[in-house]
Amino acid sequence: MDLCGQIKEKIEEKLPEILALRNEKILKEDNSYVSKGDLLCEQLIKDFLANNYPDVALVSEESPLENVKNFKKDKVFILDPIDGTENFVSGLKEWGVAMCYYENGVHQQSMLLMPELYGHLKTGEPTERFQSRICGISSSLTKEDILKLEPGFEYRIIGCCVYNMYNVVKGSYFSFENPKGAYVWDIIPGLNLALEHNLSVSVNGKPYTGELLDPSEKYIFKVSN
């Protein structure tokens, strides 16, 4: 079952409609934006799963009330419908869709999709590898955090976890980390793709081995070559 591949096709089919909604945005309680493009992307995937895989539960950034009960189901699809929404609503192309599928707590497949940029990274597909000294860091860092960064590296702040994870898995970044913490839909596809490509992966200071992460918590993580 190529669940990520099928959903990728749905998103690409509806991409003009998603892009047409990038200027229609709502400010959430945490002072971040959700656009109608985010909501359309999520609804497309909800409908696809309901019509084709009704036994697969959805855990998604934009459906918090459903996540706790859905997380405990046997088959779980984890989604960030648009990661990097601030970029998306600003007209930048550095945004993506993060997808990950688990059965009985065991990872099955993941995809990092960037519709306006490179394309995608997917479980089981080879990718060209690079060597880099660039370190990606989270846009959640404060000025004080940035001043404490270790010297000797090139640093980049892009504001999209999918973009950062894609580049560290390809070796276009030496590392990517978020010392402030992020939710499962932001990080779990990239963490599993990093493991597949033999990168060093830690979550909350401990080695990560592919386990399903609770959607109600934030996780500090680092991925490095």
Side-chain angles (χ1 to χ4, degrees), residues 48-161:
F48 174 80
L49 292 175
N51 293 331
N52 297 278
Y53 301 98
D55 57 337
V56 176
L58 180 66
V59 169
S60 175
E61 179 178 14
E62 308 306 339
S63 296
L65 297 179
E66 302 172 25
N67 287 339
V68 174
K69 62 182 179 66
N70 285 349
F71 167 68
K72 299 176 181 180
K73 302 290 181 65
D74 293 337
K75 297 180 180 181
V76 181
F77 191 79
I78 303 165
L79 171 72
D80 193 342
I82 291 184
D83 176 63
T85 298
E86 194 78 32
N87 289 352
F88 179 76
V89 301
S90 299
L92 298 173
K93 296 183 178 181
E94 290 86 358
W95 61 274
V97 184
M99 333 177 203
C100 193
Y101 178 55
Y102 274 74
E103 286 187 7
N104 300 309
V106 179
H107 175 257
Q108 303 297 314
Q109 55 187 271
S110 287
M111 180 181 287
L112 300 173
L113 174 64
M114 287 184 289
E116 288 195 278
L117 283 178
Y118 313 118
H120 70 276
L121 282 179
K122 181 182 170 186
T123 300
E125 292 184 353
T127 182
E128 184 180 11
R129 298 274 301 157
F130 298 93
Q131 292 185 329
S132 175
R133 63 178 185 177
I134 294 173
C135 295
I137 53 175
S138 170
S139 56
S140 64
L141 269 64
T142 65
K143 177 182 177 180
E144 289 73 23
D145 295 322
I146 292 170
L147 291 173
K148 296 175 185 176
L149 291 173
E150 181 183 353
F153 293 96
E154 291 272 343
Y155 288 96
R156 299 289 186 274
I157 302 177
I158 304 297
C160 174
C161 194

Side-chain angles (χ1 to χ4, degrees), residues 192-208:
N192 279 287
L193 285 164
L195 290 177
E196 180 182 342
H197 289 83
N198 300 311
L199 275 68
S200 173
V201 183
S202 67
V203 172
N204 290 344
K206 299 178 181 179
Y208 177 73

Side-chain angles (χ1 to χ4, degrees), residues 209-224:
T209 57
E211 59 270 23
L212 184 56
L213 301 175
D214 191 317
S216 64
E217 299 181 22
K218 277 190 169 184
Y219 299 90
I220 295 168
F221 68 90
K222 183 172 182 177
V223 180
S224 58

